[in-house]
Amino acid sequence: MIRRISSGGEFEARIGYCRAVVAGGFVHVAGTVGQGADVVAQCKSALDTIGGALEKAGSSFADVVRVNYYLPDAAEFEPCWPVLAEAFGANPPAATMIECNLIDPKFRIEIEVTALAAADS
């Protein structure tokens, strides 16, 4: 069974995707950007959106097994480390950081995660 979770974001309908998909025992959360004046604020905002999607799926940051970070400037990643360490706490996932262009230059970080789904999801 596949369950799709929408956050109502503006790009979901325009591009044709949803915030998260629960399938095959996993929650796949789409790449998520956040709002804010700098990379740290955007990181926190993106994590809030991701946390909401995980909650709707019956999961949490403790269940995340994989995270990918996308930044247009790799030098901006280190300021996010304390925020990320707090979000994942004692349950750090496997991680990859990729330097690349994002959909709009105003975005400084995009985050996607894969988490274990609850047994009844």
Side-chain angles (χ1 to χ4, degrees), residues 69-76 96-102 108:
Y69 304 105
Y70 305 96
L71 293 93
D73 182 355
E76 291 187 320
T96 300
M97 191 285 293
I98 299 169
E99 185 177 50
C100 63
N101 291 324
L102 299 180
R108 308 309 306 155

Side-chain angles (χ1 to χ4, degrees), residues 56-113:
K56 287 179 185 177
S59 193
S60 72
F61 283 107
D63 300 308
V64 173
V65 296
R66 183 76 166 138
V67 60
N68 292 317
Y69 304 105
Y70 305 96
L71 293 93
D73 182 355
E76 291 187 320
F77 190 44
E78 189 170 353
C80 296
W81 293 356
V83 174
L84 300 170
E86 182 179 337
F88 294 108
N91 304 293
T96 300
M97 191 285 293
I98 299 169
E99 185 177 50
C100 63
N101 291 324
L102 299 180
I103 196 165
D104 187 311
K106 71 181 177 184
F107 297 123
R108 308 309 306 155
I109 188 168
E110 183 169 339
I111 305 169
E112 69 178 347
V113 304

Side-chain angles (χ1 to χ4, degrees), residues 40-57:
V40 173
Q42 289 185 20
C43 181
K44 290 177 183 177
S45 176
L47 289 171
D48 286 345
T49 300
I50 291 167
L54 290 170
E55 186 176 324
K56 287 179 185 177

Side-chain angles (χ1 to χ4, degrees), residues 5-9 12 18-20 49 53 56:
I5 298 169
S6 174
S7 65
E12 289 181 35
C18 56
R19 176 63 41 215
T49 300
K56 287 179 185 177

